[in-house]
Amino acid sequence: MAEAERIIGTPDIPEAEHGADGGQDAGGGQDAEGAQKPTGKRKIAVLFGVALVAYALDLVSKMVVVAKLEHHEPIDVVGDLLRFNAIRNAGAAFGMGEAYTIIFTVIAAGVIVVIARLARKLYSLPWAIALGLLLGGALGNLTDRIFRSPGVFKGAVVDFIAPKGFAVFNLADSAIVCGGILIVLLSFRGLDPDGTVHKD
């Protein structure tokens, strides 16, 4: 067999189509030493960086609200158009579905798992930002549901941003909504999380 290979020769394998180990890379043509892999890792770093910032801002704001604003009169921020008013919300975002706290807790945990799985195939910066906002917001409200009264997985979320004529919400809700809007816009543009663009 070795003699036959010596006589026939081994066909050249283009580097653009195969990795260093001879197998084609699933990422779209670049091997482990190419540009795509580090780029993908940077996008994952952006995702978790955005999530960390969103989570930290939400957590700190809730700590301040509970310590300084809860059980006190609302604070007018922009006349009567916007005020800070601390309330406890056992439902979903904007006070919806208070009878289903445990279900919303499970959904939030599921969203976090899905985002973590998507991160492995993430090569798009806008998607990294959108998923980071969703992850940070979901973690923020999930923390409330786990650690706040009346009990584990039944905790009420701290809301405090109260625009006139609108439901009271928090920074985690804002991050989730902004992330969701960005995902819708990216989907309309045909941009996938792996960086490919498709047109229907």
Side-chain angles (χ1 to χ4, degrees):
M1 179 64 71
E3 183 66 15
E5 290 179 352
R6 185 184 67 79
I7 297 172
I8 298 174
T10 303
D12 294 334
I13 301 175
E15 289 184 1
E17 296 178 3
H18 296 271
D21 59 356
Q24 186 172 1
D25 183 78
Q30 292 288 344
D31 59 29
E33 298 178 357
Q36 279 193 346
K37 295 304 180 183
T39 301
K41 291 179 180 179
R42 286 196 293 269
K43 300 303 184 293
I44 294 174
V46 170
L47 187 158
F48 288 109
V50 171
L52 181 61
V53 171
Y55 177 72
L57 290 174
D58 179 68
L59 184 62
V60 171
S61 66
K62 288 173 179 175
M63 292 173 62
V64 172
V65 166
V66 170
K68 302 295 185 180
L69 186 58
E70 200 167 36
H71 308 304
H72 291 78
E73 290 296 320
I75 298 176
D76 292 332
V77 180
V78 184
D80 62 346
L81 297 178
L82 177 65
R83 60 176 50 183
F84 290 159
N85 181 25
I87 66 169
R88 296 294 182 109
N89 172 22
F94 312 118
M96 297 181 294
E98 294 189 5
Y100 304 100
T101 305
I102 295 180
I103 295 176
F104 292 130
T105 302
V106 173
I107 292 174
V111 168
I112 293 171
V113 172
V114 170
I115 293 174
R117 291 176 63 89
L118 280 175
R120 296 181 299 177
K121 300 180 180 180
L122 186 62
Y123 291 95
S124 166
L125 179 60
W127 270 96
I129 295 172
L131 293 177
L133 289 170
L134 284 180
L135 180 59
L139 284 171
N141 283 339
L142 183 61
T143 299
D144 281 0
R145 298 191 189 282
I146 294 175
F147 295 106
R148 296 193 187 278
S149 60
V152 178
F153 300 120
K154 298 180 180 179
V157 174
V158 175
D159 289 336
F160 63 95
I161 303 173
K164 183 178 181 180
F166 195 72
V168 185
F169 58 97
N170 56 43
L171 294 182
D173 295 332
S174 300
I176 291 171
V177 170
C178 291
I181 292 173
L182 183 54
I183 286 176
V184 171
L185 294 176
L186 294 174
S187 298
F188 272 118
R189 294 189 61 183
L191 180 62
D192 292 332
D194 62 1
T196 60
V197 179
H198 66 271
K199 295 182 179 180
D200 296 332

